[in-house]
Amino acid sequence: MARALPALVDLIAERLLGLRLVSGTQWLLRGVAALAMTAALVLTLPDGLFAHAGAGALTVVAGIGVLIQSIRPDLDIGMLPPLAVILALAGQPDLSVPRGLAVGFALLAAHMAWALAATIPAHGSFSAAAWALTGRAALLALVASLLGSTVVIVLSGVRLGPWMIVAGVLAVIGLCAAILPRDR
């Protein structure tokens, strides 16, 4: 037991020293992602993060996922907090359109920030040109999300048949073709 404590202290010290190697760009991206995910969680649970056992469990699961994803943005555990938030929203009968849009755009911001953080090394940073390219891509994603949200809101009162699955699949294929990078 006496030998295990120094090994644990060395491990923790090594991890803490590793944090010094993380660039300001990485801290910014990870911080924006964590704040956006926290905002999505707060908007999802308007009665409070620990209002009841289910809300508390959701908060703990999402919090652990945010912490892990903020430490290692390239891990797939980052899907856990958004999935938990979406499942919690699906179970709420009184979800308003503005609150749904706010949660959706907070999730989009968190996803974009973590995705960008995962594309560069921990010590790396973006140049001005990379930030401009990122801004244009984010604007395209935001416009596509706004258009999709508008279509969903307009069609939410309309009773559509199963044939709409075909139109939805074609829309997703068109969206992927428009957004995905092409070889030049």
Side-chain angles (χ1 to χ4, degrees):
M1 182 71 169
R3 292 178 190 220
L5 186 60
L8 178 64
V9 170
D10 286 344
L11 179 66
I12 292 172
E14 183 180 321
R15 298 287 184 195
L16 289 174
L17 287 173
L19 290 177
R20 291 187 346 188
L21 300 176
V22 178
S23 71
T25 300
Q26 279 284 349
W27 284 118
L28 174 69
L29 292 171
R30 294 173 188 192
V32 165
L35 287 174
M37 186 55 68
T38 302
L41 187 61
V42 167
L43 289 167
T44 300
L45 302 170
D47 295 334
L49 299 179
F50 295 97
H52 49 81
L58 175 70
T59 301
V60 168
V61 166
I64 290 171
V66 166
L67 180 64
I68 293 171
Q69 190 70 21
S70 294
I71 292 170
R72 292 280 313 271
D74 57 338
L75 294 179
D76 289 334
I77 193 84
M79 294 306 295
L80 183 63
L83 181 62
V85 166
I86 290 168
L87 288 176
L89 282 177
Q92 295 180 5
D94 59 342
L95 180 64
S96 66
V97 170
R99 189 163 67 105
L101 286 172
V103 171
F105 285 113
L107 290 174
L108 178 64
H111 170 71
M112 286 192 300
W114 272 324
L116 286 171
T119 63
I120 60 174
H123 60 280
S125 61
F126 279 161
S127 65
W131 281 112
L133 181 63
T134 299
R136 286 193 301 269
L139 183 62
L140 180 62
L142 181 65
V143 167
S145 298
L146 284 172
L147 288 173
S149 299
T150 303
V151 168
V152 168
I153 291 169
V154 168
L155 294 178
S156 65
V158 178
R159 176 92 171 123
L160 301 172
W163 60 271
M164 279 304 294
I165 294 174
V166 174
V169 168
L170 291 176
V172 168
I173 292 170
L175 180 65
C176 288
I179 296 178
L180 291 177
R182 296 180 187 101
D183 291 335
R184 294 182 186 210

